[in-house]
Amino acid sequence: MSGCCGPKTDDDVRKDVSESYAKIANSGGNAGCCLPATGGADTPSAEEFAKNFGYSEEELAAVPDGANMGLGCGNPSAIAAMQSGETVVDLGSGGGFDCFLSAKQVGTAGQVIGVDMTPDMLRKARDNAQKIGADNVEFRLGEIENLPIADNTADVIISNCVINLSPRKDRVIEESYRVLKPGGRVAISDVVQTHDMPQDIQEDTELLCGCVSGAASVEDLTNWLEAVGFVDINIDVKEESREYIKDWAPGRGIEQYVASASIEAIKPNKKCCG
C-alpha cells in the first residue's frame, strides 16, 4: 500500500483498521467482514454472515444482541474443542461474540480473555458482558502483536478473521506461542491468500480493512508457526468460502485470490532431558 507520502507504516495500517472497526462498533453493522455497513438493501444481516461461515441458530441465540456483527470468516469455537476450566484468549475480540460462546464451553471454572485495540469495540464488548452477567469473561485493550497477557496463561487461543489485518502477522504468532501453556493450542479462522493479488487490490486500504489485501499465504503462515516452535500444524482452506467472500467487494474478483481457512497448531510440552 502507498499514499501521498510514500508507503504506509505499521502504525498507519493499525490506524486504518482501528478506525474501520470503530465505525462498525458505532454503526452496529458491516458490509462484509470488517467493512462498515453501506446500508444497501443487498447487504446481508450479521446473522446471515455468521450462518454462512458455520454458526448455528443455537449459537446465535446464545449471545446478547449486538455481540455478533458479522465480522468473521469461520467459527473457531467449532474447532477448538474447549473443555471445562480452560483459559481461552481471543485475538481481536470485537463485540465479544466468540468470547461469549467460549465462556459457555469452559464454564464458570474457566476464563475467557478478549483482546482488542479499538476502544469503541472494547466498550461494546464490556456492555454486552454486563447484559448477560458473563463473569468469566474479561476484555483488555491491546494490540495482538503485543498481548497484555502473561506467559503460559492460555490453554487455547482463538481468533476470527483478525490476524490478516495485522501488519506483523509473524509477531502475532510469536505472541500466541508465548502466552500459551505448554500443550496449548491455536484454533483460528482467518482469510488466507491462495493466488498472487493484482497491485490495485494489494494497495486498496478498504480491502485491507475488509480482510482481503492483508491475507498471508498458507506457506508463510506455516513457516511462521514452525519458526516459533508450533507442531501438528494444519491449515485447511475452505474453497466453498469463495462463494460468500465475493460479496465482500462485488465485481472485484477477490474470491480468486483469498479464501477462508481454519488454522490449528499445538505448542509442544517441552520436557527437560539430562
Side-chain angles (χ1 to χ4, degrees):
M1 291 179 298
S2 61
C4 63
C5 302
K8 288 194 175 188
T9 66
D10 289 354
D11 286 340
D12 290 333
V13 173
R14 292 189 188 97
K15 181 173 181 290
D16 287 340
V17 171
S18 186
E19 288 177 350
S20 183
Y21 262 85
K23 289 177 183 176
I24 295 168
N26 293 322
S27 69
N30 70 306
C33 197
C34 306
L35 296 177
T38 61
D42 295 333
T43 303
S45 67
E47 289 73 21
E48 289 172 311
F49 274 124
K51 288 178 185 176
N52 287 344
F53 287 103
Y55 290 96
S56 67
E57 292 276 5
E58 183 180 4
E59 287 172 316
L60 294 173
V63 298
D65 289 342
N68 170 33
M69 289 177 281
L71 299 177
C73 60
N75 181 355
S77 63
I79 60 173
M82 297 173 200
Q83 303 296 316
S84 177
E86 288 191 319
T87 297
V88 180
V89 172
D90 184 9
L91 309 183
S93 48
F97 183 31
D98 288 311
C99 288
F100 300 132
L101 292 178
S102 299
K104 290 182 177 296
Q105 294 191 43
V106 300
T108 56
Q111 181 184 21
V112 180
I113 304 169
V115 178
D116 205 285
M117 70 174 179
T118 305
D120 301 73
M121 280 292 186
L122 212 62
R123 285 192 291 271
K124 191 175 187 73
R126 287 170 175 166
D127 287 345
N128 287 331
Q130 189 172 21
K131 288 178 187 175
I132 60 172
D135 295 332
N136 60 339
V137 182
E138 67 171 295
F139 295 97
R140 301 180 185 179
L141 181 67
E143 297 173 352
I144 59 174
E145 301 94 343
N146 298 285
L147 291 169
I149 299 173
D151 296 358
N152 305 316
T153 294
D155 295 288
V156 58
I157 287 179
I158 64 171
S159 185
N160 198 346
C161 217
V162 172
I163 296 176
N164 74 86
L165 299 168
S166 170
R168 286 294 311 278
K169 286 171 271 293
D170 57 336
R171 174 67 180 170
V172 176
I173 289 170
E174 290 172 4
E175 279 289 271
S176 298
Y177 191 90
R178 177 183 67 79
V179 305
L180 277 173
K181 300 173 184 177
R185 60 203 184 276
V186 295
I188 291 167
S189 296
D190 214 331
V191 170
V192 298
Q193 181 177 330
T194 56
H195 296 88
D196 291 341
M197 297 179 191
Q199 189 171 359
D200 67 307
I201 290 179
Q202 292 180 42
E203 298 180 351
D204 190 317
T205 298
E206 189 173 75
L207 289 180
L208 169 69
C209 297
C211 304
V212 175
S213 61
S217 68
V218 171
E219 181 180 8
D220 282 343
L221 287 166
T222 301
N223 289 340
W224 292 328
L225 289 161
E226 288 178 343
V228 297
F230 279 107
V231 297
D232 295 338
I233 298 164
N234 181 47
I235 301 178
D236 182 16
V237 178
K238 311 295 186 183
E239 291 294 336
E240 67 275 14
S241 67
R242 299 184 197 273
E243 180 65 24
Y244 306 114
I245 286 173
K246 70 180 182 182
D247 294 330
W248 293 357
R252 298 292 299 274
I254 59 172
E255 72 278 6
Q256 301 174 56
Y257 311 107
V258 296
S260 175
S262 61
I263 301 165
E264 298 176 84
I266 295 173
K267 178 178 179 176
N269 275 304
K270 293 184 178 178
K271 297 181 180 179
C272 182
C273 300

